[in-house]
Amino acid sequence: MSATGEEKAHGTGSETSSTDQVEIYERPRGWRGIYYHPATQVCLVGVVCFMCPGMFNALTGLGAAGQVDATTTANANSALYSTFAFFAFFSGSVHNVVGPRVCLLLGTWGYSLLIGSYFATSIHPGAGDFVVAAGAILGVCAALVWTAQGSLMMAYPTEAQKGTFIGYFWAIFNLGSVVGSSVAFGSNFNSTANKVGNGTYIGFLILSLTGVVLPLFLADPYKMIRTDGTRVTPIRHPSWKTEFISLFVALYTDPWIVLLFPMFFASNYFYTWQFNDYNGALFNIRTRGLNNFVYWTAQIFGSFFIGHFVLDLRRFRRRVRAFLGWSIVVVLVFAVHLWSYYYQLTYTRVSDPPTAVKMDINDPGYPAHVWLMIFYGLLDSMWQTTAYWLMGRYLAVFTGFYKCFQSAGSAVVWRLDAVQKPYMDIFISTWVLAAAGMICAFPLVYARVKDYTEMDDEAL
């Protein structure tokens, strides 16, 4: 039996504890079997994000988006995440009407617009307002992209594959940042300026425009069959009104859910200090490029490790895996931030070294500093993978709220950076929120993660 939708069945998946009423379909063979394989489609979604969000991350990771003045970038990112936080509530409704492929088509062009605005600013330094406006537009586009990405990534794997598939996606997505940062590093290796050249922006722009057309090659989700023979039912996101009602009902029936909100808020908060206030503040442009490269490379290994070898390790019960993943992230949060605190004591925004004396890859103190970037990459990927793993099991209905709180946190901290708040203040708030997010999540993880998937969890 093929995967073309000719069957007249209503099987909804295999993640429930009972398979008595789940119909099994025969998967296609040959090249169709490869193309319609869930792993292939998740990897294709990863390639889309490789080209668009991946290039954006590579540019942001350079500190000040490769520019000298970090204020414009901070204001653009604050505008970006403000609109993202707002439209995260409505992107699910758009997704329900047009589907994930159209959402990706509509959303990816915003990344090209922002990269193009930085290129324009590199040529005409007075075009800062264009960058901020492009950031605000990208916030709307990014809400569509990540809504579509989340729905496909949660719908295609079986229960046993979710951590692994998240790891696949995260690895490919971050490979885009690795490629982008390597381009920035190589093209600016001999540069004595403190910003990237125009050729770097042109390369990023071409790659992001390629990502705009890639969603056309994704398979129709309604023709997909999972590896266990169950038909994929693409996630239908609740409307903004339903999501607010669902949140009220959830908070009324289980108030402990509010303990996840600090984790949501903190999940992108730490980027500002890492990229602008550490990488952008201490290092020259070629060293910033190398730091960016190792940071995103570490993310590939971190996401695959915790997804495949911890969260989907079948020799342990699901609750054990949940607590093991949580524990690893908590240890990294405190270890990495203690290390960072030692460095943050050595400089302030006022004493930010001028371009001529910024740290270079040949300086004797550089190896220890670059290892911090590596561990930050590991922490970020493990945090995000664990968060998606948890939401994919019992809080998928709150994906919109996750993106909203995540973006709200980013908007706040980027604005704090734009108004020149002290580095130490931003760092301490980053550390406190990261630690509080994981500690507050523990009681809910303890109460809600079970060794099986209940019908109620999937229906939620």
Side-chain angles (χ1 to χ4, degrees):
M1 194 176 293
S2 71
T4 58
E6 296 173 355
E7 302 87 357
K8 300 182 181 300
H10 301 280
T12 59
S14 63
E15 293 94 347
T16 62
S17 57
S18 172
T19 58
D20 293 339
Q21 298 180 348
V22 177
E23 297 203 32
I24 304 301
Y25 298 86
E26 182 181 353
R27 285 189 38 76
R29 294 183 174 87
W31 72 268
R32 287 174 57 83
I34 297 173
Y35 176 70
Y36 284 104
H37 195 286
T40 302
Q41 292 299 311
V42 169
C43 289
L44 284 175
V45 175
V47 173
V48 173
C49 292
F50 172 110
M51 294 293 183
C52 295
M55 293 302 110
F56 167 78
N57 284 346
L59 205 56
T60 304
L62 288 170
Q67 300 282 319
V68 175
D69 179 21
T71 302
T72 298
T73 301
N75 281 325
N77 284 336
S78 180
L80 188 164
Y81 289 109
S82 296
T83 54
F84 194 166
F86 179 77
F87 283 97
F89 287 109
F90 304 97
S91 58
S93 298
V94 177
H95 174 276
N96 292 341
V97 175
V98 303
R101 291 189 295 180
V102 175
C103 274
L104 289 172
L105 282 169
L106 293 174
T108 47
W109 72 271
Y111 292 93
S112 299
L113 177 65
L114 184 63
I115 294 170
S117 72
Y118 281 119
F119 180 35
T121 305
S122 181
I123 300 173
H124 303 286
D129 290 343
F130 177 33
V131 177
V132 176
I137 294 171
L138 177 55
V140 181
C141 295
L144 297 174
V145 169
W146 289 107
T147 297
Q149 176 270 340
S151 67
L152 294 175
M153 194 172 66
M154 290 180 181
Y156 285 162
T158 64
E159 176 66 25
Q161 296 171 331
K162 284 183 178 178
T164 302
F165 275 39
I166 293 171
Y168 288 162
F169 167 82
W170 208 257
I172 296 171
F173 161 47
N174 285 318
L175 186 59
S177 303
V178 170
V179 171
S181 57
S182 63
V183 169
F185 174 63
S187 62
N188 297 280
F189 185 81
N190 296 316
S191 174
T192 57
N194 196 34
K195 65 176 185 177
V196 299
N198 291 340
T200 303
Y201 292 117
I202 293 172
F204 280 25
L205 185 58
I206 292 172
L207 289 172
S208 64
L209 288 171
T210 303
V212 173
V213 301
L214 286 178
L216 296 171
F217 299 95
L218 291 172
D220 183 351
Y222 289 95
K223 296 181 179 180
M224 294 293 297
I225 298 176
R226 298 187 183 95
T227 55
D228 62 359
T230 56
R231 183 176 295 285
V232 169
T233 301
I235 291 177
R236 183 172 177 82
H237 292 270
S239 66
W240 65 270
K241 185 182 298 184
T242 302
E243 195 156 357
F244 274 106
I245 295 173
S246 298
L247 179 65
F248 174 78
V249 172
L251 290 174
Y252 180 78
T253 58
D254 187 3
W256 279 16
I257 289 176
V258 76
L259 294 176
L260 278 182
F261 289 0
M263 183 181 182
F264 293 176
F265 191 83
S267 58
N268 273 4
Y269 193 96
F270 34 68
Y271 288 149
T272 302
W273 187 85
Q274 293 171 19
F275 297 150
N276 266 23
D277 303 342
Y278 178 72
N279 196 29
L282 291 184
F283 306 95
N284 62 25
I285 189 61
R286 71 173 185 176
T287 309
R288 284 153 61 183
L290 181 57
N291 290 345
N292 205 20
F293 174 81
V294 299
Y295 177 90
W296 297 112
T297 301
Q299 290 232 10
I300 295 174
F301 291 101
S303 62
F304 183 75
F305 168 77
I306 201 166
H308 186 72
F309 293 107
V310 178
L311 299 176
D312 280 350
L313 189 62
R314 302 309 299 274
R315 71 176 62 179
F316 296 127
R317 294 182 294 111
R318 202 168 85 175
R319 283 176 60 82
V320 173
R321 286 179 269 144
F323 289 125
L324 183 59
W326 178 89
S327 300
I328 291 173
V329 175
V330 168
V331 169
L332 274 177
V333 164
F334 281 94
V336 169
H337 285 89
L338 277 170
W339 190 353
S340 304
Y341 179 70
Y342 172 76
Y343 289 145
Q344 183 60 85
L345 290 173
T346 65
Y347 68 100
T348 65
R349 193 180 291 274
V350 176
S351 68
D352 191 352
T355 300
V357 296
K358 286 183 181 289
M359 185 175 292
D360 185 70
I361 56 178
N362 294 320
D363 291 346
Y366 175 67
H369 285 75
V370 74
W371 272 105
L372 177 60
M373 289 296 291
I374 292 172
F375 276 92
Y376 260 122
L378 293 172
L379 169 60
D380 181 27
S381 62
M382 291 183 182
W383 178 298
Q384 308 294 349
T385 302
T386 302
Y388 269 105
W389 187 86
L390 292 173
M391 285 194 300
R393 281 162 166 76
Y394 61 94
L395 282 177
V397 72
F398 295 119
T399 302
F401 280 95
Y402 173 70
K403 286 299 180 183
C404 174
F405 277 84
Q406 181 187 65
S407 300
S410 296
V412 169
V413 70
W414 281 111
R415 183 56 186 164
L416 292 175
D417 196 54
V419 298
Q420 307 289 299
K421 288 295 182 182
Y423 288 153
M424 182 61 79
D425 291 357
I426 293 177
F427 170 75
I428 292 297
S429 67
T430 299
W431 188 357
V432 169
L433 282 171
M438 295 307 298
I439 292 172
C440 289
F442 179 80
L444 193 138
V445 172
Y446 178 83
R448 295 290 294 250
V449 176
K450 304 176 180 65
D451 289 326
Y452 55 89
T453 305
E454 293 184 336
M455 287 291 293
D456 288 347
D457 293 334
E458 296 298 327
L460 182 61

